Amino acid sequence: MVPNSPHRRVLFIRFSSLGDVLLSAAALNALTDEQSSERIEAHWLTRTEYARGFEGHPKLKRVWKFDRKTGWQGLVELAAGISGAGFDDIVDLHATLRTRALRVLVTMKSASRRPRWRVISKQRFRLWLVFLLKGLCPRAWRPTPWVRRYSELGRALMRNPRSNLSGPDLRYLAERGSGVHEKLSRLPDGYFCVMPSSLWPGKQWPIEYFADLLAQVRGVPVILGTNSDAASLRLVERLHTARREVLSGVGWSLEETAEAIRSSRGLLSGDTGLVHLAEAVGSRAFVLQGPTTSAVGFGPWREASAVAGAELWCRPCSKDGSACFRTGENRYLCMTSLRPSETASRFQQWLDQPQGRE
């Protein structure tokens, strides 16, 4: 039975991964308070492990969860629940085989009332032009930044949108991370956060490079990551051995990590999901780019953020470095040729600039 509602009910879908899910929250920006209170009742669907990041979002009525371990049967059951919820619009922010299958299932089960589907454009042709032409690719041919694509798709839901196109606002996450206040308050003024780990080897800056850079800059680093991020654990151990003052935030929750970044002078990281978290909670990021560049569409969107990358003709080659043609010691040269000595100077200058936290 379809529930009656005075609002237009909208479901946003983005299953993974963490950084992409956080960035896609820009689609909610158009749902301003005065508009959504009478017109839009927004729901969000993501994988179970990422749902916590959206629970309590001020613009969401409900967060739906999908456990990928349930496989096809879980997707069928999810489709049944969605079709029974009476959504007017479903916004696919992922555009994968799984979301396409979900669309077919929901359509089959929604015999009397079928929701309108809106699907994000992946702009694959533009993306391959960037990989093919590299730095010679004209700006007009490059993919639209993802943050803008998400924001535009969300704004398209509104009949008379008045909001500006901007990045996600997840500052509420930092407000829930009060558990680390005591630890952070013990640090001298001017601490900064560091995320040294990456899921992809091609986007991993060497740990010894991080250690060398941190030996040359002022301030106390807070090392972030999960308990399974070997690079984060190794860097903490290496800094302790070198008697460098450091605070380990490895294993902190998403909320605690958000609070640490928000209260810091900024985040130093490879091209990882925490870059999007930093900007979403009102901070800034200094991004070490290797196989990617901002032309791919995932670069930082805040003016206060910055990027550093090696001057190599082969950049960008792919989204994760898997297309690197080099072998042996030159494998992932885009990361290893980004030397800590030059990067430390740029990073220190960036740290010394006021960031204009929101």
Side-chain angles (χ1 to χ4, degrees), residues 292-305:
T292 62
T293 67
S294 296
V296 172
F298 280 108
W301 52 272
R302 287 194 181 277
E303 291 185 4
S305 294

Side-chain angles (χ1 to χ4, degrees), residues 282-293:
S283 189
R284 58 179 178 169
F286 189 96
V287 189
L288 307 171
Q289 294 181 335
T292 62
T293 67

Side-chain angles (χ1 to χ4, degrees), residues 40-357:
I40 299 290
E41 180 183 294
H43 296 231
W44 193 273
L45 168 60
T46 189
R47 284 201 336 222
T48 302
E49 58 265 42
Y50 305 128
R52 183 177 177 85
F54 286 84
E55 293 172 349
H57 193 294
K59 294 183 180 181
L60 291 177
K61 177 72 173 180
R62 176 184 170 184
V63 179
W64 296 61
K65 305 174 185 177
F66 173 68
D67 185 352
R68 64 174 178 173
K69 296 179 182 178
T70 61
W72 177 256
Q73 182 60 36
L75 202 65
V76 172
E77 294 174 358
L78 178 62
I82 291 174
S83 62
F87 288 108
D88 300 287
D89 297 88
I90 296 181
V91 184
D92 183 356
L93 301 171
H94 207 163
T96 63
L97 182 61
R98 180 177 285 136
T99 59
R100 292 189 183 96
L102 185 63
R103 178 176 183 173
V104 172
L105 292 170
V106 171
T107 301
M108 292 172 57
K109 293 177 179 294
S110 305
S112 59
R113 182 182 181 186
R114 295 179 178 177
R116 294 178 294 271
W117 284 77
R118 303 169 188 265
V119 183
I120 194 78
S121 171
K122 289 196 169 183
Q123 300 185 1
R124 288 189 176 90
F125 180 71
R126 289 178 175 234
L127 181 61
W128 281 107
L129 278 179
V130 171
F131 290 150
L132 178 64
L133 301 178
K134 313 298 183 185
L136 298 177
C137 185
R139 185 175 298 274
W141 295 2
R142 299 173 185 174
T144 304
W146 276 97
V147 67
R148 185 177 182 88
R149 270 181 267 176
Y150 291 135
S151 188
E152 287 178 340
L153 194 56
R155 195 168 72 165
L157 291 168
M158 310 306 299
R159 294 182 177 87
N160 297 299
R162 296 191 293 272
S163 63
N164 295 322
L165 297 174
S166 60
D169 183 357
L170 302 179
R171 286 174 288 182
Y172 66 91
L173 283 175
E175 295 171 359
R176 296 187 338 215
S178 58
V180 297
H181 282 167
E182 183 178 352
K183 294 179 181 178
L184 297 174
S185 65
R186 299 173 186 167
L187 298 178
D189 292 339
Y191 81 88
F192 56 92
C193 294
V194 182
M195 176 53 175
S197 298
S198 175
L199 178 63
W200 305 101
K203 298 168 75 173
Q204 175 72 62
W205 209 42
I207 293 304
E208 57 270 23
Y209 284 21
F210 274 107
D212 288 349
L213 180 146
L214 294 176
Q216 301 177 55
V217 297
R218 300 182 297 274
V220 178
V222 177
I223 312 302
L224 303 174
T226 68
N227 288 322
S228 60
D229 284 329
S232 297
L233 295 169
R234 286 170 49 209
L235 181 59
V236 171
E237 181 180 3
R238 185 170 185 134
L239 293 177
H240 279 313
T241 301
R243 299 178 182 263
R244 174 71 158 91
E245 186 176 6
V246 60
L247 174 64
S248 175
V250 179
W252 285 356
S253 68
L254 181 65
E255 294 91 340
E256 291 170 334
T257 299
E259 166 59 18
I261 296 175
R262 166 126 178 109
S263 302
S264 73
R265 295 164 68 190
L267 171 72
L268 170 66
S269 175
D271 188 6
T272 70
L274 286 197
V275 170
H276 303 310
L277 177 63
E279 295 194 302
V281 298
S283 189
R284 58 179 178 169
F286 189 96
V287 189
L288 307 171
Q289 294 181 335
T292 62
T293 67
S294 296
V296 172
F298 280 108
W301 52 272
R302 287 194 181 277
E303 291 185 4
S305 294
V307 298
E311 296 293 333
L312 290 177
W313 67 268
C314 53
R315 297 181 60 233
C317 68
S318 59
K319 293 188 291 184
D320 52 27
S322 58
C324 181
F325 69 92
R326 302 175 192 275
T327 60
E329 295 182 356
N330 286 327
R331 183 73 169 169
Y332 310 134
L333 184 64
C334 55
M335 297 304 296
T336 58
S337 62
L338 183 62
R339 309 302 295 183
S341 55
E342 297 84 357
T343 309
S345 176
R346 280 197 58 197
F347 179 63
Q348 185 67 70
Q349 293 176 5
W350 178 81
L351 273 182
D352 293 339
Q353 296 173 357
Q355 66 165 310
R357 185 185 294 110

